[in-house]
Amino acid sequence: MSAFERQPAAVLEQLAALRELDPPTHGGHVLSYVYDSGLAELDELAAAAIRAVQPVNGLDPTTFASVAVLESELVGFVRGILHGDADVVGTATTGGTESCLLAVKTARETWRAQNPDAGRPRLVAPTTVHAAFQKAAAYFDLELDLVPVDADGRVVASEVIRRLGGDVALVVLSAPSYPFAALDPVGEVAPAAAELGIPLHVDACIGGLVLPFWAEATGADLPAWDFTVAGVTSVSADLHKFGYAPKGASVLLQRGRDRQRMQYFATTRWPGYPVVNPTILGSKSAGPLAAAWAITQTLGTDGFARLAAACARGTAALVNVIGGIEGLRVVGDPVGPLLAVAADESVPEDRRVDPHHWADAVRAHGFVLQLQPALVQPDGTVLPPTTHLTITPVTEAVLGDLGTALVAGADAVRGVPHIDGTALLAGLPPLDPAHLDADTAWALLQGFGIGQGAELPDAQAPLVALIEALPAPVAERLLTELLGRLVEPRG
Ligand SMILES: *Cc1c(COP(=O)(O)O)cnc(C)c1O
């Protein structure tokens, strides 16, 4: 008799079938979330590395000495390409969000130590800063002071500097920002922050492993944004993005050991083993760390430079294609292999292409783009709805089909106006998110035609229009409900 209720082979077969539900994670058909180097050997290498450390507990480098070596060498590699000197130390984390959370936690502890009797510190950042910093501010109780950006997604350095003061625990700038690929003015803000003794984190989660090679890849001049800039106190860089590692790998670098020690949590005040954690998790996989290490060892800086060059060629080609589509425009002057596309307001309305209808139409041609809702900034200015594309080394190989899809998608929806979400709300009583219970929230979603079946609707434009129209706390509550229901046990 078997010890098993089901045969492993049958279970794996089912897993394979479930994976058919996913969009293709290789081959350049999904232009966000996944980062395909196009080098099958790297995927094999990562899988083998994960397998090699599968039973290890990444929690404790004193017990598992391999973990200490892997982390030290991975941090050293990233420090090298980000021009950190011997004063820069770092940690492998499970992802960009954890790196960002820890940068904020470090700054909060530092600020509290310096201001023992003061209240709640501020975190100053452009509105385009990754949502991970909103999460960090919420988790660690900082006031988020968001600085509006211009229509091209650029923040004015003096607007950031103007807000600096004794209650600011951290300034965050991006290299580049996720929504618009703007390279924030690190070199201009850093001296002012340093002068006031305020730490400056550069969020290079997406750019960290590709921007160091961008100037060479594109021939363009890039202002310095890494540890070569004196006032930069920490940098986050994700290995599971342009480091091509499986998900679960990022690095947070900090200038100065004393600063970095504030990142740790340590306690000997329980009857169990002493807990000394540089990161948020306790027991954790060493797999993504080992995979990221193996990939960086294998590629070396030259390998990363070559992949960055492929990204740069793909990006230039796509900018060209989109530039040739009547009714669309690339937002601002993106730095790095990502960009946002908006409707071109310089052409008559009936020639414009709504970026969300476009993304839905392009999806029908087999390419998945990412819809970004319009945003009202704190000063009342509005950032338009856009569609995001992340370009990876494989994009180049599918340029023909992708270009055709982008053009055909635009032709299919040219002149169709952006969905007015407020019309969807007609007749709805005012909603108080604090009193929206799970069943009411679910009923509302179903009233909007969302979530009836197990599957989400193919067209995302209506859902995003709803998000744009609803007050943010209500939208957040409804989306929480949607995501919560998605993973509830079925049947
Ligand atoms: C992806 C990203 C993050 C968050 O990283 P996760 O790995 O998704 O947790 C933070 N900042 C920027 C700029 C990013 O692109």
Side-chain angles (χ1 to χ4, degrees):
M1 218 186 76
S2 165
F4 301 139
E5 183 169 303
R6 291 177 66 190
Q7 286 310 307
V11 173
L12 285 178
E13 205 173 296
Q14 186 186 354
L15 181 57
L18 289 173
R19 286 283 283 111
E20 294 292 312
L21 298 173
D22 299 333
T25 47
H26 284 83
H29 283 255
V30 177
L31 288 100
S32 63
Y33 293 144
V34 292
Y35 301 77
D36 183 1
S37 69
L39 303 172
E41 306 99 294
L42 284 192
D43 292 335
E44 293 303 321
L45 173 70
I50 289 174
R51 207 175 178 105
V53 298
Q54 185 166 297
V56 165
N57 192 339
L59 163 73
D60 187 356
T62 68
T63 301
F64 300 100
S66 66
V67 172
V69 177
L70 295 174
E71 181 160 0
S72 159
E73 294 195 359
L74 181 65
V75 167
F77 181 84
V78 178
R79 180 175 77 174
I81 65 171
L82 298 182
H83 304 107
D85 58 21
D87 194 33
V88 172
V89 290
T91 315
T93 73
T94 57
T97 297
E98 192 178 27
S99 292
C100 297
L101 288 172
L102 290 168
V104 174
K105 191 251 183 205
T106 302
R108 188 198 65 176
E109 307 307 353
T110 305
W111 186 87
R112 279 186 179 170
Q114 292 164 352
N115 303 270
D117 303 317
R120 196 166 171 241
R122 253 184 316 135
L123 190 168
V124 174
T127 53
T128 47
V129 77
H130 195 278
F133 290 94
Q134 300 195 15
K135 187 176 188 176
Y139 277 20
F140 297 120
D141 196 29
L142 286 85
E143 182 190 333
L144 197 58
D145 188 2
L146 293 177
V147 185
V149 299
D150 70 13
D152 288 335
R154 275 191 286 247
V155 75
V156 177
S158 60
E159 290 294 305
V160 177
I161 294 168
R162 208 161 58 79
R163 296 180 190 230
L164 302 184
D167 65 332
V168 175
L170 185 67
V171 182
V172 182
L173 297 175
S174 303
S177 72
Y178 185 86
F180 305 117
L183 179 56
D184 287 341
V186 175
E188 286 145 271
V189 173
E195 174 88 25
L196 294 167
I198 300 170
L200 168 59
H201 178 75
V202 174
D203 179 13
C205 277
I206 198 154
L209 277 295
V210 66
L211 282 202
F213 312 102
W214 205 246
E216 191 191 319
T218 61
D221 255 353
L222 278 198
W225 54 268
D226 63 11
F227 284 106
T228 49
V229 179
V232 170
T233 54
S234 55
V235 179
S236 49
D238 289 354
L239 278 305
H240 65 200
K241 287 180 182 160
F242 288 99
Y244 311 106
K247 293 292 178 267
S250 173
V251 161
L252 172 61
L253 296 170
Q254 306 238 32
R255 199 195 293 273
R257 288 195 180 88
D258 289 315
R259 176 191 318 284
Q260 197 239 11
R261 301 314 187 229
M262 295 298 211
Q263 181 189 313
Y264 280 68
F265 174 82
T267 185
T268 53
R269 298 174 226 185
W270 78 307
Y273 57 90
V275 168
V276 187
N277 295 160
T279 62
I280 294 172
L281 297 182
S283 288
K284 63 185 175 192
S285 172
L289 165 65
W293 171 85
I295 289 170
T296 52
Q297 293 288 318
T298 304
L299 281 178
T301 48
D302 285 352
F304 278 99
R306 275 192 295 276
L307 291 171
C311 292
R313 291 191 300 269
T315 305
L318 275 188
V319 166
N320 219 18
V321 168
I322 294 162
I325 299 178
E326 187 189 16
L328 288 175
R329 66 180 173 91
V330 172
V331 178
D333 189 10
V335 179
L338 56 157
L339 51 90
V341 178
D344 181 359
E345 314 242 291
S346 74
V347 303
E349 266 178 53
D350 65 345
R351 304 303 301 163
R352 287 179 204 163
V353 175
D354 172 61
H356 292 177
H357 288 314
W358 178 58
D360 281 339
V362 170
R363 193 187 181 109
H365 290 269
F367 288 90
V368 183
L369 313 182
Q370 193 174 55
L371 293 77
Q372 302 189 129
L375 179 81
V376 182
Q377 301 195 89
D379 65 354
T381 57
V382 179
L383 299 173
T386 56
T387 287
H388 171 105
L389 287 78
T390 292
I391 293 89
T392 64
V394 289
T395 308
E396 226 187 346
V398 292
L399 270 175
D401 287 351
L402 176 56
T404 304
L406 298 182
V407 170
D411 289 344
V413 300
R414 187 169 288 106
V416 180
H418 188 70
I419 297 175
D420 177 9
T422 53
L424 301 172
L425 303 185
L428 218 61
L431 299 169
D432 175 1
H435 294 101
L436 265 185
D437 63 25
D439 288 341
T440 312
W442 186 231
L444 278 166
L445 279 168
Q446 300 205 300
F448 290 126
I450 299 161
Q452 271 116 350
E455 291 186 15
L456 296 176
D458 270 346
Q460 297 190 358
L463 178 60
V464 179
L466 200 57
I467 293 170
E468 290 171 338
L470 287 165
V474 176
E476 288 154 1
R477 179 64 188 87
L478 293 186
L479 290 173
T480 298
E481 195 56 38
L482 185 61
L483 275 285
R485 299 272 172 174
L486 207 55
V487 299
E488 281 185 14
R490 295 176 192 176

